[in-house]
Amino acid sequence: MSSAGARRRALRGLLARGGAREQAELARGLAEEGFVVSQSTVSRDLRYLGVVKNQEGRYRLNSRNNEAEDPVDPERRLGRVINSYTLSIEASANLVVMRTFPGAASVVASALDASLETGEVGNVLGTLAGDDTILVVAARPSGGRGVKERLEQIGEMT
């Protein structure tokens, strides 16, 4: 869990749960999740994610900044939606479970489905999306870990 994408997903999760008033609070929250970072790293990540402060002085995601353009390249689009809407990616055997913000699972699953045609994600049988959870089924009995790693790698490319 040392990638920038994983760290930013953890930061989005902290912001979704109420955020903080100071960057030091966010750094402590990230440390509790296994990401030991400096205040300057938190600051860069907040800028990257388009985070703003609300009227109460708490950091929050700016929904306008999360509405990414829909690039033609399916892998680039998938990377953008993974970074914008995905909170976590976990694997077990041939299954990958992606957690998103409420209502965003279909957006991420649609981008994932579009990218499957290129074969860039790996050998995936299909996806099933709910409100805030996506189930990705890998074709191989032990393929979940590889699909998870590839999804995280795609999320890093944006």
Side-chain angles (χ1 to χ4, degrees):
M1 282 182 76
S2 61
S3 73
R7 183 184 68 242
R8 289 175 181 149
R9 282 190 295 280
L11 181 56
R12 278 195 302 276
L14 291 172
L15 294 167
R17 291 188 298 272
R21 290 183 189 276
E22 298 178 8
Q23 292 178 9
E25 289 177 65
L26 293 170
R28 283 191 298 275
L30 287 170
E32 290 172 8
E33 295 192 27
F35 300 96
V36 178
V37 295
S38 66
Q39 179 273 329
S40 61
T41 298
V42 172
S43 180
R44 281 190 300 274
D45 285 349
L46 291 173
R47 260 192 322 278
Y48 177 88
L49 295 170
V51 172
V52 297
K53 279 196 169 186
N54 64 16
Q55 292 176 340
E56 292 83 37
R58 300 188 80 71
Y59 287 103
R60 68 170 179 81
L61 290 168
N62 181 356
S63 60
R64 273 189 241 133
N65 289 356
N66 286 332
E67 295 171 3
E69 297 173 3
D70 194 357
V72 175
D73 180 9
E75 186 175 330
R76 185 166 172 220
R77 176 176 177 238
L78 178 59
R80 285 179 173 256
V81 297
I82 286 172
N83 275 321
S84 295
Y85 302 112
T86 304
L87 297 172
S88 68
I89 304 173
E90 299 297 328
S92 175
N94 71 323
L95 303 176
V96 177
V97 175
M98 300 175 74
R99 302 275 183 195
T100 70
F101 289 108
S106 62
V107 173
V108 178
S110 175
L112 178 54
D113 289 343
S115 72
L116 292 179
E117 295 175 15
T118 67
E120 293 298 319
V121 174
N123 201 356
V124 173
L125 292 175
T127 63
L128 179 65
D131 181 57
D132 62 357
T133 305
I134 303 161
L135 178 64
V136 182
V137 182
R140 292 191 342 242
S142 61
R145 170 79 44 206
V147 170
K148 172 192 185 277
E149 290 170 358
R150 183 63 184 138
L151 290 170
E152 289 177 335
Q153 184 181 40
I154 290 170
E156 293 291 315
M157 287 193 252
T158 61

